[in-house]
Amino acid sequence: MMTKRWSVDKNVDKEESYPQLSQAADLLKNNEVVAFPTETVYGLGGNAENDEAVKKIFAAKGRPSDNPLIIHIADKRQLDVFVQEIPEKAKSLMDLFWPGPLTLIFNVKEGILSNYATAGLSTVAVRMPDHPVALSLLKTTGLPIAAPSANRSGRPSPTAADHVWEDLNGRIAGLVDGGPTGVGVESTVLDCTDATPVILRPGGITKEQIEAVIANVHIDPALADQGQAPKSPGMKYRHYAPDAPLYLVEGTREKIQQLVDEKRQEGHSVGVLTTAENREFYHADFVFACGQREHLETVASSLYEALRHFNHTDADIIYSEMFPDEGVGQAIMNRLMKAAGHRVIR
Ligand code: AMP
Ligand code: MG
């Protein structure tokens, strides 16, 4: 399949500024799949009401069929079409964080969305992306659009159009290039079907931000304990992994350098994932600084770029620093732990 690629300027905040998007929207309305930028990562969109379109998303990504998709909307009124009821707490959160990186789980109305999109569950995940290109595309289709991250399953999520191209060129009908994304880690997934909402996946909106609105929020215990089955099906899969094995190191930079030296003496080609502050400290074959430790949102925004970067080197082992498990650090550590297959050197 020929993948059509369009370039649009995300800084132009008017629907009329995106004539290219009508072609992309037509493909979506014809039940083809198209990748587009959001404020978190690039998404691979398809008509959520159509089985064939949704099956194409799973096929292009190689995604396991038991992992449901997030439905993207541009207007809150679209919710009434396929969601049973919207709890008051969810309304407050939507008022504050939509559009934005917060996905809410509701009970689904039967018979409207494709069962492939919800993986046959009685609930549905929905969000409104905070990106002018995404919103404009969604409005033009008028459809609920199912859109997981636009990467091959298991690989780091795409934060630039070239990442999507690398993974999906020839496998999808179109790619809207709107430049690099901003937040860099996926949305927070919050289950709103219980009286006390539960964070199923940490992401762009922090636990602290949610607590400021609804006082009480739980965290799925499976996030801290690998022995438990996660409530979010996708959280059980290996994800975000670079090609070479990644190890997280709890300890000083001197300790990491010592590990690097040992491996290099054994003849390995070693990569280090660090931040700007420690960039010059390390002597390794490949050192990649992702953001600044004192501004964790800059680490989030370049984390996947960093993980992909090592795939273009011949590093055969990667060591990474760790980050504080608070604020957006929770999402960073969640993704790094998965990328490392939970290998931590203490
Ligand atoms: P992705 O779109 O690849 O960023 O992944 C979406 C995440 O949302 C995955 O972890 C899914 O398992 C999760 N998810 C989607 N729908 C539901 C649902 N109805 N209940 C629980 N988790 C969901
Ligand atoms: Mg994903």
Side-chain angles (χ1 to χ4, degrees):
M1 169 188 301
M2 257 279 290
T3 302
K4 192 142 177 35
R5 182 167 175 166
W6 305 270
S7 262
V8 298
D9 181 354
K10 84 162 182 189
N11 298 312
V12 188
D13 205 358
K14 269 204 202 85
E15 268 165 77
E16 312 83 72
S17 317
Y18 300 121
Q20 304 93 326
L21 292 192
S22 67
Q23 288 181 36
D26 283 344
L27 286 175
L28 287 169
K29 286 191 262 185
N30 285 327
N31 301 322
E32 295 296 339
V33 295
V34 174
F36 60 89
T38 78
E39 83 282 28
T40 58
V41 303
Y42 273 74
L44 179 60
N47 178 1
E49 294 179 350
N50 182 270
D51 285 347
E52 296 315 310
V54 176
K55 281 201 263 186
K56 284 177 192 169
I57 297 176
F58 282 93
K61 285 184 55 96
R63 182 177 174 109
S65 61
D66 68 348
N67 189 5
L69 307 180
I70 295 172
I71 312 302
H72 290 63
I73 58 173
D75 185 331
K76 282 182 203 162
R77 285 170 296 185
Q78 286 174 278
L79 277 179
D80 300 327
V81 178
F82 59 86
V83 160
Q84 281 190 21
E85 70 281 311
I86 306 169
E88 285 307 317
K89 286 180 184 167
K91 283 185 189 150
S92 311
L93 291 167
M94 278 156 48
D95 285 343
L96 206 64
F97 298 122
W98 278 15
L102 178 67
T103 293
L104 302 175
I105 308 239
F106 302 106
N107 289 312
V108 70
K109 272 185 193 159
E110 286 296 305
I112 304 202
L113 299 176
S114 163
N115 279 325
Y116 292 95
T118 53
L121 298 176
S122 58
T123 53
V124 61
V126 195
R127 87 173 188 105
M128 187 187 292
D130 186 15
H131 193 292
V133 174
L135 286 172
S136 176
L137 183 63
L138 292 169
K139 274 183 208 155
T140 311
T141 65
L143 293 167
I145 297 291
S149 50
N151 51 285
R152 291 278 292 167
S153 255
R155 308 237 310 151
S157 300
T159 49
D162 283 342
H163 301 164
V164 180
W165 199 249
E166 191 172 87
D167 278 17
L168 298 177
N169 179 25
R171 305 181 66 89
I172 60 177
L175 163 60
V176 181
D177 178 350
T181 60
V183 180
V185 291
E186 295 85 344
S187 58
T188 304
V189 177
L190 185 73
D191 186 346
C192 296
T193 60
D194 280 334
T196 301
V198 187
I199 294 177
L200 304 186
R201 173 176 80 179
I205 299 288
T206 63
K207 176 172 183 272
E208 294 82 352
Q209 284 174 290
I210 296 171
E211 275 170 343
V213 183
I214 57 169
N216 206 358
V217 58
H218 290 154
I219 295 192
D220 185 356
L223 288 177
D225 175 0
Q226 274 187 78
Q228 299 213 29
K231 260 192 95 182
S232 177
M235 296 302 283
K236 68 176 181 275
Y237 291 106
R238 184 174 147 85
H239 217 150
Y240 319 113
D243 296 339
L246 169 70
Y247 293 84
L248 309 190
V249 187
E250 192 176 270
T252 60
R253 57 189 196 171
E254 287 75 13
K255 160 85 180 166
I256 296 178
Q257 184 61 51
Q258 188 192 335
L259 292 166
V260 172
D261 292 343
E262 283 166 18
K263 283 293 168 194
R264 289 179 92 195
Q265 269 156 24
E266 291 169 17
H268 288 282
S269 178
V270 185
V272 174
L273 178 49
T274 177
T275 58
E277 292 90 339
N278 288 334
R279 172 81 186 75
E280 302 303 327
F281 173 82
Y282 292 107
H283 297 279
D285 298 282
F286 306 97
V287 180
F288 193 92
C290 108
Q292 293 161 280
R293 177 171 282 276
E294 57 180 308
H295 301 292
L296 283 181
E297 61 293 345
T298 63
V299 176
S301 103
S302 54
L303 182 64
Y304 293 138
E305 168 90 53
L307 294 174
R308 275 180 187 261
H309 164 81
F310 288 108
N311 291 349
H312 299 286
T313 70
D314 57 15
D316 57 32
I317 182 165
I318 307 163
Y319 292 113
S320 173
E321 295 178 358
M322 291 177 68
F323 295 89
D325 211 7
E326 62 198 32
V328 76
Q330 289 198 326
I332 295 169
M333 280 309 296
N334 172 268
R335 307 309 191 269
L336 271 177
M337 285 295 261
K338 283 179 168 288
H342 293 270
R343 287 177 295 240
V344 182
I345 298 172
R346 297 187 203 272

